[in-house]
Amino acid sequence: MKTIVFAHPWNGSFNKAILDKVVEKLDETKEKYTIIDLNKDGFNPVMSEKDLELYSQGKSADPLVLKYQEILKNTDELILIFPIWWMSLPAILKGFFDKVMLRGFAYENTQNGIKGFLTNIKTAKMITTATAPKFLLNITGFGITMKKANLGGIGIKKTKWIHYSLRMQGEDEDRKKFLEKVGKFVSE
């Protein structure tokens, strides 16, 4: 099953158009999928005192964390759709990694670093938007951090990434071409 993690708060955003295109393509190919819409779910990305109290035990006080973990256990492909703000993840997606990817569930500490447990997820696909172009995001290390540390750290060996650099005027034709690219990307 494919799991889509969507991290944008505005239903009228280009990110929502990307999500719609991904869903359209998966429906077209009759693939099974689940959507985790962090904003619609009301996911709180902030670690509470109770969360931190349970963190070292690999537990959480947030019932959504358990729900998301169950979904991830049955996932073979992860599709992340999100904007890049301030050269980083939106807080809600960062909180998803902080709170859901717990020790004992997503990884364990070893003498050589961490060993990822979510090896059932064979591929992660990232679809991002930002005003910054992809080459600049690579220079700042964003792509390496996501691929090697965040996703690689939990056991995902293969990550693919496409990016749309938003134009100040928002060229409709350019966005249509990117949505076509998204459709092909999801089918790879």
Side-chain angles (χ1 to χ4, degrees):
M1 177 181 70
K2 296 179 189 298
T3 297
I4 304 162
V5 178
F6 182 65
H8 198 289
W10 184 39
N11 205 30
S13 70
F14 187 54
N15 279 259
K16 176 62 166 73
I18 292 168
L19 172 64
D20 292 344
K21 184 62 165 182
V22 169
V23 166
E24 175 189 307
K25 197 64 175 175
L26 295 177
D27 285 344
E28 197 176 280
T29 57
K30 299 188 182 347
E31 297 201 48
K32 286 187 174 185
Y33 64 89
T34 289
I35 300 171
I36 295 174
D37 186 330
L38 297 170
N39 288 281
K40 265 191 186 170
D41 288 351
F43 179 70
N44 181 358
V46 178
M47 282 274 202
S48 69
E49 186 173 347
K50 184 68 175 169
D51 287 324
L52 284 173
E53 187 181 309
L54 297 170
Y55 187 82
S56 65
Q57 301 167 43
K59 297 178 182 174
S60 176
D62 187 338
L64 279 175
V65 167
L66 298 175
K67 176 185 174 185
Y68 295 158
Q69 287 178 340
E70 284 303 311
I71 292 168
L72 292 171
K73 285 178 191 176
N74 297 304
T75 297
D76 56 25
E77 183 174 285
L78 187 63
I79 302 170
L80 302 168
I81 303 169
F82 61 97
I84 296 172
W85 294 332
W86 293 99
M87 303 302 260
S88 190
L89 308 173
I92 201 162
L93 186 56
K94 175 69 169 79
F96 176 82
F97 279 95
D98 289 346
K99 290 175 70 173
V100 176
M101 305 308 176
L102 295 171
R103 186 175 52 137
F105 168 71
Y107 72 94
E108 71 177 343
N109 294 315
T110 70
Q111 288 183 334
N112 299 323
I114 63 173
K115 176 184 176 188
F117 287 156
L118 295 179
T119 55
N120 56 295
I121 304 174
K122 303 299 179 203
T123 306
K125 292 180 178 174
M126 297 191 314
I127 307 169
T128 60
T129 62
T131 52
K134 189 174 180 179
F135 81 87
L136 184 57
L137 296 169
N138 278 325
I139 290 170
T140 63
F142 175 82
I144 291 169
T145 299
M146 282 301 296
K147 291 177 181 182
K148 301 291 183 196
N150 295 27
L151 298 167
I154 60 173
I156 301 171
K157 302 280 187 235
K158 186 177 176 185
T159 299
K160 297 177 180 182
W161 176 27
I162 60 171
H163 176 73
Y164 182 79
S165 180
L166 298 165
R167 310 296 189 263
M168 294 307 244
Q169 297 290 331
E171 302 283 335
D172 284 344
E173 193 57 39
D174 199 36
R175 289 180 182 211
K176 285 177 189 172
K177 285 180 187 172
F178 186 76
L179 289 175
E180 289 172 21
K181 185 177 177 180
V182 165
K184 291 175 186 164
F185 181 67
V186 170
S187 300
E188 293 176 348

